[in-house]
Amino acid sequence: MNDILLMLPGPTTVAPRVLQAMNQAVVNHRSAIYGEILTETNELMSKTFQTQNDSYILTGSGTSAMEAALANTVNAGEKVLNIVGGKFGERFMKIGQAHGIDTQELAVKWGTAVDPKTIAETLDENEDIKAITVIHNETSTGVAAPIEEIGKVMKNYDALYIVDTVSSLGGDYVDVDKFGIDVCVTGSQKCLAAPPGMAAITLSDDAWKQVEGVTSNCYYLDMKAYKKYVDKVPPQTPYTPSVSLTYAMHEALKIIEEEGLETRVARHHKAAEASVKAVKALGLELFADEKVSSATVTAVKMPEGITDDQFRGTTREKYGVELAGGQDHLKGNIFRIGHMGNIGYKQLAITFAAIGMTLKGLCVDVDPGAGVASITESYL
Amino acid sequence: MNDILLMLPGPTTVAPRVLQAMNQAVVNHRSAIYGEILTETNELMSKTFQTQNDSYILTGSGTSAMEAALANTVNAGEKVLNIVGGKFGERFMKIGQAHGIDTQELAVKWGTAVDPKTIAETLDENEDIKAITVIHNETSTGVAAPIEEIGKVMKNYDALYIVDTVSSLGGDYVDVDKFGIDVCVTGSQKCLAAPPGMAAITLSDDAWKQVEGVTSNCYYLDMKAYKKYVDKVPPQTPYTPSVSLTYAMHEALKIIEEEGLETRVARHHKAAEASVKAVKALGLELFADEKVSSATVTAVKMPEGITDDQFRGTTREKYGVELAGGQDHLKGNIFRIGHMGNIGYKQLAITFAAIGMTLKGLCVDVDPGAGVASITESYL
């Protein structure tokens, strides 16, 4: 079980140091000891988000933070513009609909990124839009949205700028304050390389002003409660948090601090560039437009005549490397290599060796060593 | 930090075996390996709930499961009767209100239990009540509600019977099918003695029928999605679960199976009886009506002239035993001893020794050894 190398767009391999942090005894979540760990973890989150605003960890998946972001800032009946170019963009649509929000879709062809100008045009035509949602890193297609450029556009509008960085924070450039992001959410099990089950959210002053006017129908995810409880002495969460996952998040964020956020992001970009080159060296084709290809996941078209079961089944069962498949209408048409978290040349060498051997074994006309050879060139 | 004995109504001390389970590498939550652990964990949950119905683990606190129970089974505008005799009864009111549900309160004096007859009378007068909510074990007051007797009453009505067993399952008698409970929820960090951060829910066929007709405004907690995803191959959760906490829950539930549910519940009842006797031996007074005193938490009136800080501060800082205080209007007026999970004479001996010494040190006229002496008599 431990021999499988996870090359997924989450969950990613968790360092032993982080796993071991969960071995600590569970403490009272309303005690000063927990209050200290919570405060430090929230502060480390703000540092990673690169914001002066407060951050809040939530016990739940990244989706719980997406729901918190939207349901706390927009009333039922109010208009939100969702940029949709993949499965996670669609998720914001569904969350909005569940909450009775007037969800507008700005559809982007899967595999390409939104043009910030289109957002400006849509906002010009719809002055009643209260917020826009953007998926920074659309893991379903391997595309990174230009969140810095969108941020520049958003400075001209009152609408809140909500960004999902679930699979990019810690692996790609996310500077919440500089980019003018109002609400930013992330998950534990992607580039932060902590175990799954925890999410985080940060809100700007403008966002909090909007929260005050919203009658949220969230109880577990009511951000007003999180704010109220973190201001108590000792600081706490409104409902019992996962104490063990807080230990793990704390440790994972300390590792990021030790590595340095900039170094870490550069390391992810390097892995993405090396992966793209290795994909090409194997004669395979990228799914995403290369200009907007993600720093943390590479989506590759499945070679013709090979099924997902054959390909990913072999990499997993025969070579011990777990890759991700396509989702929804991309199922069977693409495979995805997650290069998030604890990733360097070692993991990529194994992965591209496995891909090469698998393809050769499935009778694809390929030099099985071409991918891994390309990795050595990239990292020389 | 590890030297503090947690005698709280959650979180409770987690066995090393359970903590160590979290040391296993994180696996892909959409893989067959996780599917197997998820299925086994859900099945062990059903066994512990004593139901033939399916159970679902949720990544979140007990409150998230309370919200899932109510928001998935009742539409906005529909009527629910909440039995309220403490803080957690109130929570169901607030959850209902957040979802626009017509929440009716059946108020019960804090420290006493509801009379099932009153429920019948209220249901007779309000035929449009869609569900009732009952807190089995109201940890804020140390009272156990008569859920078996209420179940007998509920057989005469169509309203769903929703029961919160967050702090009783695994420590008190909960037989979901025999008691006719439609929706039952629990949390990981109480009598199940797993780390906090996970909850579980089970729903009857009648409950599922009602779920089908409900337009839930929950996304993260949408039970239809949980049902859909657990039926996939391999079985999975709709959103990324806490894989590490699933390992821990699985291990904790296996320990319960090994001990035997009946033996475990009897052990909790024994601890409760011994605690009540020891409280009296120290000349202290119970807060809850003794006839309905909880099997898992004992609420005690604070001796006059002593503050919560003095009392619980001393048991914690000087004697290494963490007790719970009163909540809301009971703050400073009571303290609470949780005897949940891994509890026997050892933990109670330490606890009552600490309480006796603390009282003596605070100049209360008491025999400091009377409580712990009473424990030895109970367990002889």
Side-chain angles (χ1 to χ4, degrees):
Chain A
M1 178 158 135
N2 292 2
D3 281 325
I4 298 287
L5 174 63
L6 294 187
M7 296 298 286
L8 302 168
T12 56
T13 302
V14 176
R17 212 179 120 180
V18 175
L19 285 178
Q20 276 153 22
M22 291 195 288
N23 249 6
Q24 293 171 81
V26 169
V27 294
N28 181 4
H29 60 290
R30 310 245 177 251
S31 68
I33 284 180
Y34 184 75
E36 229 172 85
I37 299 164
L38 176 68
T39 303
E40 279 182 33
T41 309
N42 284 339
E43 283 173 3
L44 285 165
M45 273 313 315
S46 285
K47 215 169 156 179
T48 312
F49 277 129
Q50 303 203 61
T51 181
Q52 299 296 319
N53 299 319
D54 288 338
S55 299
Y56 303 84
I57 52 167
L58 308 175
T59 298
S61 72
T63 299
S64 73
M66 291 171 75
E67 185 169 13
L70 199 51
N72 281 280
T73 56
V74 185
N75 272 308
E78 289 180 340
K79 202 181 273 186
V80 166
L81 181 69
N82 299 302
I83 319 302
V84 181
K87 193 177 166 70
F88 291 90
E90 284 178 350
R91 184 160 294 178
F92 261 133
M93 289 292 286
K94 290 179 189 165
I95 291 172
Q97 285 153 5
H99 287 274
I101 290 166
D102 180 1
T103 48
Q104 305 287 316
E105 179 175 355
L106 200 168
V108 179
K109 192 182 162 211
W110 288 38
T112 71
V114 68
D115 180 350
K117 270 186 228 153
T118 327
I119 297 177
E121 285 162 17
T122 314
L123 288 170
D124 285 337
E125 286 161 20
N126 297 271
E127 287 185 1
D128 53 347
I129 288 174
K130 293 283 175 185
I132 77 161
T133 69
V134 179
I135 307 294
H136 180 204
N137 193 68
E138 181 56 77
T139 49
S140 65
T141 63
V143 165
I147 57 169
E148 183 167 9
E149 289 65 35
I150 299 172
K152 285 177 189 157
V153 164
M154 291 306 294
K155 284 186 179 143
N156 305 320
Y157 301 92
D158 285 339
L160 288 185
Y161 182 27
I162 301 175
V163 182
D164 167 327
T165 63
V166 169
S167 62
S168 61
L169 192 77
D172 199 357
Y173 303 106
V174 179
D175 190 329
V176 165
D177 287 354
K178 189 178 160 203
F179 297 176
I181 297 170
D182 288 301
V183 185
C184 197
V185 300
T186 199
S188 55
Q189 81 282 17
K190 310 276 184 174
C191 306
L192 304 182
M198 200 151 253
I201 185 169
T202 185
L203 299 99
S204 69
D205 290 345
D206 284 348
W208 276 115
K209 266 178 225 151
Q210 208 155 307
V211 170
E212 293 306 322
V214 166
T215 312
S216 160
N217 43 22
C218 281
Y219 189 84
Y220 181 63
L221 297 173
D222 176 10
M223 289 312 301
K224 291 189 193 103
Y226 280 84
K227 192 180 169 66
K228 185 178 151 191
Y229 273 78
V230 92
D231 287 340
K232 290 199 180 205
V233 180
Q236 48 202 282
T237 55
Y239 317 114
T240 313
S242 172
V243 174
S244 310
L245 289 180
T246 311
Y247 296 151
M249 274 292 265
H250 185 261
E251 195 65 20
L253 293 169
K254 266 168 53 182
I255 289 175
I256 294 178
E257 204 180 27
E258 286 162 20
E259 181 176 11
L261 192 54
E262 210 168 324
T263 312
R264 188 180 181 90
V265 168
R267 176 166 62 74
H268 279 80
H269 274 265
K270 169 117 196 167
E273 283 155 28
S275 296
V276 166
K277 278 186 196 157
V279 163
K280 289 179 181 170
L282 280 167
L284 300 173
E285 219 182 312
L286 285 181
F287 173 73
D289 176 359
E290 194 177 332
K291 291 191 296 295
V292 293
S293 186
S294 157
T296 65
V297 57
T298 299
V300 185
K301 290 186 187 166
M302 189 70 80
E304 266 190 41
I306 293 180
T307 68
D308 186 63
D309 270 0
Q310 287 173 324
F311 179 72
R312 290 198 303 128
T314 307
T315 64
R316 187 180 201 291
E317 301 308 328
K318 191 159 179 191
Y319 298 113
V321 175
E322 189 148 354
L323 301 171
Q327 293 169 295
D328 296 342
H329 70 266
L330 293 178
K331 208 169 181 166
N333 299 326
I334 64 168
F335 67 88
R336 296 173 300 146
I337 307 161
H339 28 80
M340 299 179 176
N342 301 310
I343 292 293
Y345 84 88
K346 290 176 188 148
Q347 290 75 18
L348 293 177
I350 293 169
T351 301
F352 281 96
I355 292 176
M357 292 188 286
T358 298
L359 291 174
K360 191 72 186 171
L362 293 170
C363 303
V364 177
D365 179 25
V366 68
D367 169 3
V372 65
S374 165
I375 292 296
T376 62
E377 278 166 33
S378 292
Y379 277 93
L380 200 64
Chain B
M1 180 159 134
N2 292 1
D3 280 324
I4 299 286
L5 173 65
L6 295 188
M7 296 298 286
L8 302 168
T12 57
T13 302
V14 176
R17 212 179 119 180
V18 175
L19 285 178
Q20 278 153 20
M22 291 194 289
N23 249 6
Q24 293 170 81
V26 169
V27 293
N28 180 4
H29 60 290
R30 311 243 177 254
S31 68
I33 284 182
Y34 184 75
E36 230 172 85
I37 298 164
L38 177 67
T39 303
E40 278 182 33
T41 309
N42 283 340
E43 284 173 1
L44 285 166
M45 273 313 314
S46 285
K47 215 170 155 178
T48 313
F49 276 129
Q50 303 203 59
T51 182
Q52 299 297 319
N53 299 318
D54 289 338
S55 298
Y56 304 83
I57 52 166
L58 308 174
T59 297
S61 73
T63 299
S64 72
M66 291 171 75
E67 185 169 12
L70 200 50
N72 282 280
T73 56
V74 185
N75 272 309
E78 289 180 338
K79 204 182 272 187
V80 165
L81 181 68
N82 299 301
I83 319 301
V84 181
K87 194 178 166 69
F88 292 91
E90 284 177 349
R91 185 159 293 177
F92 262 133
M93 289 291 288
K94 289 179 188 164
I95 291 171
Q97 285 153 5
H99 288 275
I101 291 166
D102 180 1
T103 48
Q104 305 288 315
E105 179 176 358
L106 199 168
V108 179
K109 194 183 160 208
W110 288 38
T112 71
V114 67
D115 180 350
K117 270 186 230 155
T118 326
I119 296 176
E121 285 162 16
T122 314
L123 288 171
D124 286 336
E125 285 162 20
N126 298 271
E127 288 184 1
D128 54 346
I129 288 174
K130 292 282 174 186
I132 77 161
T133 69
V134 179
I135 308 293
H136 180 203
N137 192 69
E138 180 56 79
T139 49
S140 66
T141 63
V143 165
I147 55 169
E148 182 167 10
E149 288 66 37
I150 298 172
K152 286 177 189 158
V153 164
M154 290 306 293
K155 285 183 178 146
N156 304 319
Y157 301 92
D158 286 339
L160 288 185
Y161 183 26
I162 301 175
V163 183
D164 167 327
T165 63
V166 169
S167 63
S168 62
L169 192 78
D172 200 355
Y173 303 107
V174 179
D175 191 329
V176 165
D177 287 354
K178 188 177 159 203
F179 297 177
I181 297 169
D182 288 301
V183 186
C184 197
V185 300
T186 198
S188 55
Q189 81 283 16
K190 310 277 182 172
C191 307
L192 305 182
M198 199 151 254
I201 184 169
T202 186
L203 299 98
S204 69
D205 290 343
D206 284 349
W208 277 116
K209 266 178 226 153
Q210 210 156 304
V211 169
E212 294 306 323
V214 166
T215 312
S216 160
N217 44 22
C218 281
Y219 189 83
Y220 181 62
L221 298 173
D222 176 10
M223 289 313 302
K224 290 189 194 106
Y226 280 84
K227 192 180 170 64
K228 184 177 151 192
Y229 273 78
V230 93
D231 287 340
K232 291 198 179 204
V233 181
Q236 46 201 285
T237 55
Y239 317 114
T240 313
S242 171
V243 173
S244 310
L245 289 180
T246 311
Y247 296 151
M249 273 293 266
H250 185 261
E251 195 65 19
L253 293 169
K254 267 170 50 183
I255 290 175
I256 294 178
E257 204 181 26
E258 285 162 19
E259 180 176 13
L261 191 54
E262 209 169 324
T263 311
R264 189 179 180 92
V265 168
R267 177 166 62 73
H268 279 80
H269 274 265
K270 170 115 196 166
E273 283 155 28
S275 295
V276 166
K277 278 187 194 155
V279 163
K280 288 178 180 171
L282 280 167
L284 300 172
E285 219 180 314
L286 286 180
F287 173 72
D289 176 358
E290 195 178 333
K291 291 190 297 295
V292 293
S293 186
S294 156
T296 65
V297 56
T298 299
V300 185
K301 290 185 186 165
M302 189 69 82
E304 266 191 40
I306 293 180
T307 68
D308 186 63
D309 271 359
Q310 288 173 323
F311 179 72
R312 289 199 303 128
T314 307
T315 63
R316 185 178 202 292
E317 301 309 328
K318 193 160 177 190
Y319 298 113
V321 175
E322 189 148 354
L323 302 171
Q327 294 168 293
D328 295 341
H329 70 267
L330 294 178
K331 206 168 183 167
N333 299 325
I334 65 168
F335 67 88
R336 296 173 299 147
I337 307 161
H339 28 79
M340 299 178 176
N342 301 309
I343 292 293
Y345 84 91
K346 290 174 187 149
Q347 290 76 15
L348 293 176
I350 293 169
T351 302
F352 281 95
I355 293 174
M357 292 187 287
T358 298
L359 291 174
K360 192 70 186 174
L362 293 170
C363 302
V364 177
D365 180 23
V366 69
D367 169 3
V372 65
S374 166
I375 293 296
T376 62
E377 279 166 34
S378 292
Y379 278 92
L380 200 63

